[in-house]
Amino acid sequence: MGRMCEGRVVAVTGAGRGLGRAHALAFAAEGARVVVNDLGVGLDGAPAADSPARQVVDEIRAAGGDAVAHGADVATGAGAASLVALALETYGRLDTLVNNAGFLRDRMLVNLDEDDWDAVVRVHLKGHFLPLRHAAAHWRAEAKAGRTPVARIVNTSSGAGLLGSLGQGNYSAAKAGIVGLTLVAAAELARYGVQVNAIAPAARTRMTERTFAETMTAPGAGFDAMATENVSPLVVWLGSAASEGVTGRVFEAEGGRITVMEGWRAGPTVDKGARWTPGGAGEAVVKLLGEAGEPGPVYGA
């Protein structure tokens, strides 16, 4: 049986460490040629001395795969454009984009300054939008030229973006924005042969090592439930041609568990057919809330 991504070219952002590294290695193991992007910054976005992207490329090549390193900042227009350009110049095509780059600057809201807000929203949300935009422009041109691609985008949200997380107002807002971006992109790009989905992973990385400090083993399974490698099989499938017809979805992935996340949809409702008074609106809301399900708790609450 052939490998799932044989012949495909996949670009993974933030692929020098953690989840991105696991995704890059998993795609390569399934036959993909991989563009490994990583700016090489620390957990808080400050410059680091090493080149993690090059290290991952070396790992892939040592295992018999094919990869190339990309070290530009994908939260800039030039950096995102160069990511797509490198794939095309090196391999002549781009089939899948996995947006994964990010870092944290956690603060409670009253202590969260503007720079920490801007930095986190920039790397997560803008760092998703710009590579998506440049890849989509390429695929649209291909479709208009009669070469409709079998293209895939996998975005990285978080449980923090779905439920919120104490001390992570900037991160939660950015990750929620990624879900909205995913839904719009799935609807707009379908005509060009592009499917767009998002994952909300839970795994032990540099960003979550304090949360998942201890190794968690699924009962009876004998594996590390918080290993980054557990998330990558879903990402590889979503990034492959095998996922035909799956788009505009958000999946939570943790250990051996995959969950389809169901977003906002209409719950209990009432229509008076006329303007409410403030008191009447309040009475109606209290009644509706009594009929509605309880929301999930904010992480850390």
Side-chain angles (χ1 to χ4, degrees), residues 187-285:
E188 290 187 358
L189 302 179
R191 72 189 71 178
Y192 306 124
V194 184
Q195 294 182 181
V196 189
N197 293 285
I199 60 164
R204 189 188 309 101
T205 68
R206 287 193 306 165
M207 289 179 17
T208 63
E209 62 186 357
R210 283 177 293 181
T211 303
F212 304 128
E214 299 298 327
T215 297
M216 298 175 61
T217 302
F223 76 101
D224 180 358
M226 289 292 104
T228 55
E229 291 79 7
N230 298 332
V231 177
S232 299
L234 173 61
V235 175
V236 170
W237 184 81
L238 288 172
S240 75
S243 63
E244 179 65 30
V246 179
T247 193
R249 295 287 193 165
V250 179
F251 299 90
E252 197 171 66
E254 176 183 343
R257 179 173 58 86
I258 297 172
T259 304
V260 178
M261 304 304 290
E262 297 182 336
W264 294 106
R265 58 182 65 204
T269 185
V270 62
D271 185 353
K272 182 180 179 180
R275 183 179 299 132
W276 295 92
T277 64
E283 291 175 3
V285 167

Side-chain angles (χ1 to χ4, degrees), residues 37-124:
N37 162 266
D38 202 285
L39 189 55
V41 298
L43 179 59
D44 63 353
D50 57 351
S51 176
R54 171 56 61 186
Q55 295 172 15
V56 174
V57 167
D58 290 343
E59 284 187 76
I60 290 172
R61 290 178 177 173
D66 193 352
V68 62
H70 178 265
D73 182 359
V74 294
T76 67
S82 69
L83 176 70
V84 175
L86 181 61
L88 299 178
E89 292 164 4
T90 306
Y91 299 119
R93 61 186 298 131
L94 175 64
D95 301 287
T96 298
L97 168 66
V98 179
N99 284 314
N100 171 77
F103 55 72
L104 296 176
R105 292 188 184 178
D106 292 351
R107 302 282 191 280
M108 300 300 281
L109 287 172
V110 294
N111 297 319
L112 182 62
D113 64 34
E114 188 174 355
D115 288 343
D116 289 336
W117 173 275
D118 288 346
V120 169
V121 171
R122 174 187 178 275
V123 71
H124 287 280

